Amino acid sequence: MKVEYRIYMGIGIFVLLVTTVYFFWAKEYGGVTMLFGTAGLGIMPALYFGWWRKRMDPRPEDSETATLAESKGAIGAFPSNTIWPFVLGMGAFLSGLSLVFGEWTLVIGGALLIFAAASVTLESRRGGVI
Amino acid sequence: MSNFKSVRERRVGRKGLLLAFFAVVLSSCSSTFGGYRGATTQGQSEASLYQGFMITGIVVAGVTFLGLFYVLVRYRRRKGTNRIPSQRHSNLPVEVIYTVIPVLIVIGLFVFTVRSENKITQVSSNPNVSVDITAFQWGWRFTYSNGVSIVSQGANYPQLVLPANETTKVTLVSQDVVHGFYVPAFNFSRYALPGVTNYFDLTPTSTGTYVGRCSALCGLYHGEMLFSVRVVTPSQFQSWLTQQKAA
Amino acid sequence: MTIAEERNDLSNEEGGHEHEHGGPRGIYLWLTSTDHKVIGKSYMYTALIFMLIAGAMAMLIRAQLTGPNNHIVSQQTYNELFTIHGSMMLYLFAGPFAFGGFANYILPLQIGAPDMAFPRLNALSYWLFVTGGITMLSGFFTSGGAAAFGWVSYAPLSSYSNAPGAGPDLWIVAIALTGFSGIFTAVNLITTAFYLRAPGLTMFRLPIFTWNMIVTGMLILIAFPILTAAMIMLYADRHFGAHFFTVSGGGSPVMWQNLFWFFGHPEVYILALPYFGIVSEVIPVFSRKPIFGYKGLVFATLAIAGLSTGVWAHHMFTTGTVLLPFFSALSLLIAVPTGVKVFTWIATMWGGDIEFKTPMLFVIGFLFTFVMGGVTGVMLAAPPIDFAVHDTYFVVAHFHQVLAGTAVFGGFSGFFYWYPKLTGRMYRESLGKLQFWMAFVGFSLTFFPQYLIGLRGMPRRVPVYLVSDHVTFLNQLSTVGAFLTGASFIVWLINMWISWKKPVAAGDNPWDGHTLEWATSSPPPHHNFVSLPPIRSARPLWDANHPEHADYKNQGHGSVPREREEQK
Ligand SMILES: [Cu+2]
């Protein structure tokens, strides 16, 4: 996690420096706001990774000498085929189109969104790690 | 024997290449590389900056391509061979050199850029002439300080008249969407923005008529939003102005 | 090590559990798969279809410009064509082809992972991408036509009064959909690369392509939210009477430009970095050498990411509202890490054993085009030069050389390089080379004249020009080049068709590849790997295949068992 933390922190701090220079030199506050937000997008994930870095067991993928045997347990749970992302996408599509063609597509799109979101959640509850 | 000959040939080839390369660089010092010489003092400043950038660009790209072609020819796989080359994967001095040299080049370019840009964006406090330019869909209005106003009418392109060797201060605004006041021969363009007033100076150096156009997409007839600039002597300019005023 | 698979309820209508055999096929596979390989391929082919459509629009644009006063298309249609051409190429081809297509397929393979971290999210982002594309194209079928305000959509030209009708709204919705799709993919890529690496594959052993995709992901997460926010503001201005970008309501049209380019410039690198990654994979393999200056290359990529957030206003030099020296300095500076990359690639080939297969040819085409576009890019970083050529064909030529050149040459290099892995089949080398030469000659012929056209003062986005501009012949040359480039894609389609009809088996590792994607079968099985070689350097497969030249030998990690470790 150390490298992950550092690259995010590096970007965050670099953009913070740019923000400071820009703030005092350009005095244009739209840009300052955007740059400051961007610095946050570097620093926030960095803090998350930094927090975990201290609390996590050393991972075999961070060790230069780890062997495959060292990765114990499940890598993760991977879903098999499912239609719900497609339905969710269509729901988002129709909901988006309501911005152009009026509310009636939102009714269908919204219904699809809710139904698919619920189904995809239930599906992953039902599954679980083997 | 044949080996000796090929080495010599290669050397001549390289020398020839180098010579041709420098010939291009030297001959182009006087050239504008396809750009305009600039019919204003500001435009001439741009032209010389562009020349400098172009020469630097030719040198940098030339060196890079020479390196590339050398590598491609020298280290191509020969038919029927199967060798594993040296697996060297770093060389710190080389890496430092190819990082530091670009930094130095860039710093140099920046210095010249700032000089030129200060000259071009400078707005004089006591110009000889002031013109208000308003851009609109799809035409231009040029208003002189004495009230004379030239405006696009139908398909007639309006003409901006400027005195040579005098500084004209332009105040540029837009009435509707974003437009661009662009005179290619002046090497200059500036956006006309709604809600923003832009100021810049034009100091034409030679008389003549030049094409001007809208550079920023502004809708359906953007492509036909043309105008012309006629640069005349100061005395001609004064008589033109009074004549227009009377009309 | 096990790979868990979620169980579908056997009683539901999806047909329950399945494995690589007996699973769904055809359209049903396309609709339901969460396998990164299926999604990656779908992404790629969809993006390529969008590219062909947008390319056809480019042909129409070039046809219109063969004469100063042609009437091949109407002015309104012309504006719609270049708007949608640009929007599709940028939002629907160059980006998704790389981070949805290549990255999706290759990144998990390169790090020895069984899939992406969030497979269902991955499928969702594909569907958002497809529907975004359909939404954008459907603008042409509305009564008012498609959006016609350029891919940058400058306010207030994009306001309701200046651009009424459904077309512009469809454009906004399309950008929002593809924007979310990009954000989801970025989250997926970063999480996968951070959490699903194989044991021993430390960050500084990651293949450069994976590194570039991590940085691309970071940039997407920085840039795309701003784009989406800007789209919402624009929509609110158009329909809810908001005044973000209207002067009369106290808003600022220049703010749109700031927002857009704060997205837009990182976007340029979002489009370029994945292809730089591809190039950084192809060059070492076809030179039989490791990448030169690995860490330097990684830091150059990170430096590009950092700097790219501070250069947005170099698109706004001519507005007279931005701090010229600041943006000029940062824009010039970003040329340094970019230059370092080019030198790194040449240094990688130096002393190598270079084999000119199709992927390598495309890389050389990329290098040539990219250096040309890079040099003119440095010129445009100088405000005075930008004043002279801003919004002219000089700029058009520049960004096509850096962006389209990168996406087409880099993209096809990657396509041919990984085609055997994707399909298990080989393409026809002679047709690949023919395609390269046609594309390369055509591309150069298209864009070199455009530099001169721009220097002579022809603005972009105009359907007509003056005879006295002396650009007619140059425009005709450019059009010939464009059609030659277009024809090169027909050669590509023929190549694909032959390879499909008369398959030639490619083998698992036809190029003597270095990285883990070549350690599995072609195409890889469900969940990717049956076994992995031990990972002791950035080139585990090279180490396994060439133990006497292995990287770990010069890196001091001691000896490593020769046999492959079986995955449990
Ligand atoms: Cu205009």
Side-chain angles (χ1 to χ4, degrees):
Chain A
M1 283 281 78
K2 197 173 73 186
V3 181
E4 289 88 334
Y5 161 76
R6 282 189 182 167
I7 55 175
Y8 258 109
M9 204 47 145
I11 298 265
I13 288 172
F14 178 80
V15 178
L16 205 58
L17 283 176
V18 174
T19 313
T20 316
V21 173
Y22 190 71
F23 180 83
F24 287 107
W25 192 2
K27 299 189 175 63
E28 184 269 308
Y29 301 111
V32 170
T33 315
M34 291 190 287
L35 282 171
F36 189 73
T38 303
L41 285 173
I43 291 168
M44 273 188 316
L47 292 176
Y48 172 80
F49 292 127
W51 193 84
W52 268 110
R53 179 165 71 118
K54 302 234 170 75
R55 281 157 187 80
M56 222 175 202
D57 292 334
R59 304 184 305 167
E61 56 261 50
D62 290 330
S63 152
E64 299 211 314
T65 52
T67 58
L68 284 173
E70 281 174 42
S71 83
K72 292 182 282 286
I75 298 175
F78 294 95
S80 56
N81 291 57
T82 164
I83 192 72
W84 299 120
F86 171 72
V87 180
L88 208 55
M90 292 305 124
F93 176 46
L94 288 173
S95 309
L97 287 186
S98 73
L99 294 171
V100 186
F101 300 118
E103 286 77 10
W104 64 273
T105 56
L106 184 62
V107 177
I108 311 172
L112 282 179
L113 268 182
I114 293 165
F115 185 56
S119 306
V120 86
T121 316
L122 285 175
E123 184 185 68
S124 67
R125 281 272 172 81
R126 259 200 319 261
V129 181
I130 301 169
Chain B
M1 178 68 202
S2 67
N3 203 9
F4 172 69
K5 197 179 165 195
S6 78
V7 168
R8 224 176 101 186
E9 269 173 6
R10 197 189 293 164
R11 220 175 260 163
V12 172
R14 250 188 246 168
K15 237 183 223 167
L17 262 180
L18 268 180
L19 269 180
F21 173 65
F22 282 115
V24 168
V25 171
L26 288 176
S27 71
S28 48
C29 286
S30 57
S31 146
T32 52
F33 299 107
Y36 288 94
R37 242 164 245 289
T40 58
T41 53
Q42 293 86 355
Q44 281 146 16
S45 170
E46 188 278 342
S48 51
L49 185 72
Y50 172 66
Q51 268 181 356
F53 266 70
M54 199 69 189
I55 291 165
T56 318
I58 290 173
V59 172
V60 171
V63 169
T64 312
F65 288 144
L66 276 181
L68 179 64
F69 289 130
Y70 171 74
V71 169
L72 292 179
V73 173
R74 172 75 178 73
Y75 298 108
R76 73 184 186 280
R77 179 173 299 176
R78 266 69 165 191
K79 273 218 170 70
T81 61
N82 183 18
R83 77 186 173 95
I84 298 215
S86 152
Q87 297 297 303
R88 175 154 206 180
H89 53 73
S90 63
N91 183 336
L92 198 61
V94 171
E95 289 172 55
V96 170
I97 287 170
Y98 70 48
T99 312
V100 170
I101 290 179
V103 171
L104 295 178
I105 294 176
V106 156
I107 291 174
L109 291 177
F110 181 67
V111 171
F112 287 103
T113 300
V114 170
R115 274 197 213 161
S116 169
E117 122 199 337
N118 288 342
K119 211 180 280 178
I120 293 169
T121 54
Q122 193 189 29
V123 180
S124 86
S125 46
N126 53 338
N128 304 78
V129 182
S130 297
V131 197
D132 287 351
I133 299 181
T134 307
F136 54 89
Q137 280 174 322
W138 289 272
W140 304 89
R141 188 183 304 112
F142 308 124
T143 311
Y144 293 83
S145 44
N146 70 348
V148 167
S149 183
I150 319 270
V151 67
S152 304
Q153 270 163 347
N156 292 331
Y157 301 136
Q159 190 168 59
L160 175 67
V161 182
L162 295 177
N165 302 315
E166 287 189 353
T167 298
T168 303
K169 179 183 167 188
V170 174
T171 307
L172 180 66
V173 293
S174 165
Q175 200 169 291
D176 36 50
V177 301
V178 180
H179 299 274
F181 173 89
Y182 178 34
V183 185
F186 289 179
N187 286 333
F188 186 77
S189 71
R190 178 63 62 88
Y191 273 8
L193 296 155
V196 175
T197 310
N198 263 314
Y199 304 95
F200 56 87
D201 277 4
L202 295 173
T203 315
T205 50
S206 46
T207 56
T209 306
Y210 310 98
V211 179
R213 55 206 347 156
C214 178
S215 61
L217 175 66
C218 57
L220 191 54
Y221 298 108
H222 162 57
E224 289 164 31
M225 195 170 145
L226 277 74
F227 60 96
S228 61
V229 183
R230 185 157 58 97
V231 178
V232 295
T233 61
S235 58
Q236 279 171 323
F237 176 75
Q238 284 310 329
S239 59
W240 174 82
L241 205 57
T242 41
Q243 188 194 331
Q244 288 289 318
K245 177 92 182 160
Chain C
M1 174 158 103
T2 48
I3 295 156
E5 189 154 348
E6 286 178 17
R7 276 168 304 183
N8 268 346
D9 194 326
L10 285 171
S11 61
N12 72 14
E13 66 272 320
E14 268 90 57
H17 209 98
E18 84 302 302
H19 280 296
E20 54 264 39
H21 306 294
R25 290 173 176 279
I27 288 184
Y28 196 63
L29 177 69
W30 181 52
L31 292 179
T32 63
S33 185
T34 53
D35 182 347
H36 74 101
K37 297 186 290 296
V38 177
I39 299 173
K41 268 202 217 170
S42 306
Y43 245 117
M44 248 183 234
Y45 294 130
T46 314
L48 285 167
I49 291 169
F50 286 143
M51 181 206 67
L52 292 177
I53 297 172
M57 292 180 197
M59 298 302 124
L60 276 175
I61 292 171
R62 285 312 321 168
Q64 167 69 20
L65 293 174
T66 47
N69 241 320
N70 282 356
H71 294 283
I72 293 169
V73 293
S74 72
Q75 302 214 348
Q76 173 65 25
T77 310
Y78 187 84
N79 291 0
E80 290 171 23
L81 282 175
F82 67 68
T83 299
I84 303 299
H85 162 79
S87 303
M88 286 187 75
M89 286 295 195
L90 290 157
Y91 300 116
L92 298 172
F93 165 60
F97 185 50
F99 58 71
F102 285 119
N104 220 332
Y105 197 102
I106 299 300
L107 185 138
L109 287 169
Q110 282 197 329
I111 62 172
D115 204 317
M116 292 284 257
F118 309 116
R120 274 179 291 233
L121 188 68
N122 199 13
L124 174 62
S125 69
Y126 173 70
W127 291 111
L128 293 179
F129 160 64
V130 174
T131 52
I134 293 169
T135 311
M136 187 172 288
L137 277 171
S138 60
F140 282 110
F141 305 105
T142 60
S143 56
F149 37 54
W151 80 282
V152 297
S153 177
Y154 271 10
L157 189 63
S158 48
S159 72
Y160 193 79
S161 53
N162 285 307
D169 288 329
L170 284 167
W171 184 86
I172 292 172
V173 172
I175 304 296
L177 286 169
T178 47
F180 278 111
S181 143
I183 290 170
F184 294 161
T185 305
V187 168
N188 228 332
L189 288 172
I190 292 179
T191 315
T192 309
F194 282 5
Y195 289 97
L196 288 179
R197 303 196 300 275
L201 192 57
T202 60
M203 288 295 278
F204 281 106
R205 280 179 183 168
L206 284 178
I208 295 290
F209 176 74
T210 299
W211 256 114
N212 280 32
M213 290 321 305
I214 293 172
V215 180
T216 306
M218 293 168 76
L219 280 179
I220 291 177
L221 293 182
I222 286 170
F224 276 43
I226 293 189
L227 176 71
T228 312
M231 288 301 150
I232 293 170
M233 288 163 150
L234 179 60
Y235 188 84
D237 265 17
R238 286 172 63 85
H239 294 285
F240 303 146
H243 293 287
F244 292 108
F245 311 120
T246 51
V247 177
S248 58
S252 157
V254 180
M255 199 59 224
W256 168 267
Q257 297 185 27
N258 275 302
L259 284 169
F260 184 84
W261 288 115
F262 199 87
F263 147 77
H265 207 82
E267 165 77 353
V268 170
Y269 291 96
I270 290 168
L271 303 181
L273 289 179
Y275 299 103
F276 293 171
I278 292 172
V279 169
S280 310
E281 295 294 313
V282 171
I283 288 180
V285 168
F286 290 91
S287 311
R288 311 191 89 179
K289 278 186 67 199
I291 192 84
F292 182 85
Y294 177 100
K295 283 203 175 173
L297 198 52
V298 171
F299 289 128
T301 310
L302 287 167
I304 287 177
L307 286 167
S308 77
T309 61
V311 297
W312 76 91
H314 71 208
H315 299 269
M316 299 165 61
F317 283 154
T318 61
T319 61
T321 62
V322 298
L323 183 64
L324 299 179
F326 177 85
F327 290 106
S328 166
L330 285 186
S331 307
L332 286 168
L333 214 51
I334 209 165
V336 174
T338 318
V340 164
K341 276 171 176 278
V342 173
F343 300 136
T344 302
W345 291 323
I346 294 177
T348 304
M349 292 187 264
W350 199 286
D353 186 39
I354 304 168
E355 196 181 10
F356 295 102
K357 293 274 194 219
T358 306
M360 193 61 185
L361 284 181
F362 273 101
V363 162
I364 294 160
F366 155 80
L367 281 173
F368 182 77
T369 319
F370 183 73
V371 170
M372 291 310 302
V375 166
T376 51
V378 171
M379 292 176 188
L380 289 169
I385 301 177
D386 184 69
F387 292 164
V389 293
H390 188 76
D391 272 340
T392 69
Y393 266 85
F394 189 87
V395 176
V396 174
H398 155 71
F399 71 71
H400 277 90
Q401 281 203 319
V402 284
L403 281 180
T406 302
V408 169
F409 292 110
F412 274 93
S413 169
F415 184 85
F416 285 114
Y417 176 59
W418 283 309
Y419 183 78
K421 185 52 64 184
L422 260 63
T423 59
R425 292 189 299 262
M426 210 51 181
Y427 59 87
R428 297 297 186 273
E429 195 65 48
S430 52
L431 284 173
K433 285 183 173 157
L434 177 66
Q435 182 196 345
F436 166 74
W437 285 110
M438 285 170 74
F440 183 67
V441 172
F443 201 84
S444 306
L445 191 59
T446 311
F447 294 109
F448 278 110
Q450 289 190 5
Y451 283 117
L452 280 173
I453 295 172
L455 287 167
R456 290 181 190 181
M458 176 168 164
R460 63 197 286 201
R461 297 170 175 154
V462 296
V464 289
Y465 46 93
L466 300 175
V467 180
S468 58
D469 291 338
H470 302 294
V471 293
T472 313
F473 176 66
L474 289 170
N475 267 309
Q476 285 162 350
L477 268 186
S478 180
T479 304
V480 171
F483 278 92
L484 187 59
T485 313
S488 78
F489 292 107
I490 296 171
V491 176
W492 168 65
L493 289 174
I494 294 171
N495 200 350
M496 293 301 98
W497 191 74
I498 293 179
S499 139
W500 180 49
K501 283 289 166 197
K502 293 189 173 155
V504 174
D508 293 347
N509 187 8
W511 312 124
D512 192 5
H514 300 170
T515 40
L516 289 179
E517 75 267 33
W518 303 106
T520 184
S521 62
S522 301
H526 198 52
H527 291 326
N528 297 345
F529 292 96
V530 180
S531 71
L532 280 172
I535 297 157
R536 286 294 170 274
S537 76
R539 299 192 299 163
L541 197 64
W542 170 273
D543 294 349
N545 291 340
H546 304 273
E548 68 282 14
H549 298 285
D551 279 351
Y552 55 77
K553 283 201 168 167
N554 1 340
Q555 287 167 358
H557 295 309
S559 63
V560 169
R562 286 282 163 81
E563 323 82 76
R564 290 178 153 215
E565 297 172 48
E566 291 298 315
Q567 230 174 317
K568 283 177 216 127

